[in-house]
Every structure is written in C-alpha cells, then in structure tokens.
C-alpha cells in the first residue's frame, strides 16, 4: 500500500499523488517517509524533496516549512515549493544576481535586509542547482524530426 503525498505551498497545491517513499529535507538531514510511518510533525529545511512511486521519481525544491505524517498521508506545508520541471531558470538567475549584487555592496550584516538577501540567495541557488542536477529532457522538449515518436 502506498502512502498519499500532498505538497501545499503558501499559494497553491503543488502536488498530490501516491508514493512508495517520500524523501524530505529534515533539519537533521534527509528523512525517508514510508507508508505506515508513525505520526510525526516536524520542521523542514530548505532543500530537495523526492516522491518515488513505481520506478518514477519526481523532484521538488522546498524552501522550508512543516511536514505532517499520518500512516496513510504525508502533508508538506511549504513556504514555497516547485517541481524541478516548472522552475523558471531566468527568474532564478535574476534573483541570484540581485542577491549577489546586494550582498557584494557590503550592507550591514546585522540588518534585516542582509538576512533576507542571504535567504534569497539560498533559494535561488537551490533552484538553479536542482535544475542542473535533476531536470530531465522531456519528450517534446526538443524538436527532433529525425526520430520516431516513442511516447
Ligand atoms: P523571486 O525573487 O524571483 O520572487 P523568491 O525566492 O523571492 O523569488 P519565493 O518567495 O521563494 O520567491 O516564492 C514565491 C512564489 O514564487 C512561490 O510560489 C514559488 O514557488 C515561486 N517561485 C519562486 N521562484 C521561482 C522560479 N524561479 N520558478 C518558478 N517558481 C518560482
């Protein structure tokens, strides 16, 4: 029996589906949630979340949040979450550039703005790294008239 997985961010339902295992970025490292897991409520760090089901793996970036586990349901309430396939690379690059330039200008380190820009840099870097490492070439992403359609 699989476990149901729901990923909800502040502004939308990011994913819902079945899972054989959900791997989440816990505060003490990666945590694997299997079906029939004991009830759990815990904090999530910024990092990579993976949903594996029947030889398929979906990869998401999460910027932090909360995970609630019941034996048949894992709910992720994320500050922000997106699948690697839907990350807008240009937007993340611009966010990273903005943050790097701000931090390079040497603002006071104790300021709220400094802390916020450091966090923005971590988010954008995570998104860009995730795309590099996990984004797959989907069928149809490239036009190749010489090959036969396989899907
Ligand atoms: P930006 O400065 O580009 O707005 P951010 O890190 O401040 O980025 P967040 O506050 O983490 O953005 O997220 C706000 C919403 O935008 C969330 O729904 C998040 O999933 C989405 N989002 C942020 N960056 C991207 C991106 N590069 N591609 C797709 N969705 C994104």
């Amino acid at each position: 029996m699989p476990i149901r997985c729901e990923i909800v961010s502040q502004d939308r339902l990011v994913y819902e589906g079945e899972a054989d295992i959900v791997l989440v970025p816990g505060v003490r490292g990666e945590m694997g949630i299997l079906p029939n897991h004991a009830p759990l409520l815990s904090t999530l760090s910024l990092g990579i979340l993976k949903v594996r089901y029947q030889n398929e793996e979906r990869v998401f970036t999460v910027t932090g949040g909360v995970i609630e586990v019941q034996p048949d349901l894992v709910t992720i309430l994320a500050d922000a979450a997106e699948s690697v396939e839907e990350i807008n690379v240009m937007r993340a690059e611009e966010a990273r550039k903005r943050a790097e330039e701000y931090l390079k200008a040497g603002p006071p380190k104790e300021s709220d703005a400094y802390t916020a820009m450091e966090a923005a840099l971590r988010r954008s870097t995570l998104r860009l790294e995730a795309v590099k490492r996990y984004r797959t070439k989907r069928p149809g992403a490239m036009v190749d008239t010489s090959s036969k359609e396989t899907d």
Side-chain angles (χ1 to χ4, degrees):
M1 273 282 282
I3 189 166
R4 184 144 194 90
C5 174
E6 294 184 7
I7 305 173
V8 182
S9 75
Q10 307 256 5
D11 45 2
R12 69 197 174 102
L13 174 66
V14 178
Y15 177 77
E16 63 177 329
E18 308 291 302
D20 296 319
I21 186 168
V22 182
L23 296 155
V24 301
V27 280
R28 271 179 258 108
E30 190 176 69
M31 192 160 68
I33 310 294
L34 293 159
N36 293 315
H37 195 286
L40 168 81
L41 182 63
S42 187
T43 309
L44 289 185
S45 316
L46 171 144
I48 299 290
L49 186 155
K50 296 172 182 162
V51 179
R52 291 194 188 137
Y53 184 54
Q54 295 182 344
N55 298 324
E56 266 198 54
E57 182 177 77
R58 286 168 209 269
V59 181
F60 301 85
T61 45
V62 189
T63 63
V66 169
I67 177 171
E68 189 200 359
V69 182
Q70 291 159 27
D72 59 349
L73 175 67
V74 45
T75 310
I76 286 100
L77 301 168
D79 297 333
E82 52 281 330
S83 81
V84 283
E85 307 302 339
E86 67 190 347
I87 289 170
N88 180 327
V89 172
M90 201 180 285
R91 176 173 168 182
E93 277 171 352
E94 278 166 12
R96 180 159 73 175
K97 204 163 137 212
R98 226 169 23 241
E100 279 173 347
E101 278 169 8
Y102 180 89
L103 294 169
K104 225 180 359 191
K109 290 206 164 108
E110 315 75 43
S111 68
D112 291 348
Y114 187 94
T115 311
M117 276 301 184
E118 272 190 329
L121 181 59
R122 276 195 294 273
R123 292 195 299 275
S124 51
T125 302
L126 170 74
R127 288 173 178 133
L128 293 170
E129 291 294 316
V131 166
K132 240 199 297 186
R133 175 140 186 219
Y134 296 107
R135 187 175 281 181
T136 54
K137 290 196 184 87
R138 285 167 296 167
M142 236 187 300
V143 180
D144 182 359
T145 48
S146 66
S147 68
K148 281 187 289 181
E149 271 188 40
T150 49
D151 288 300

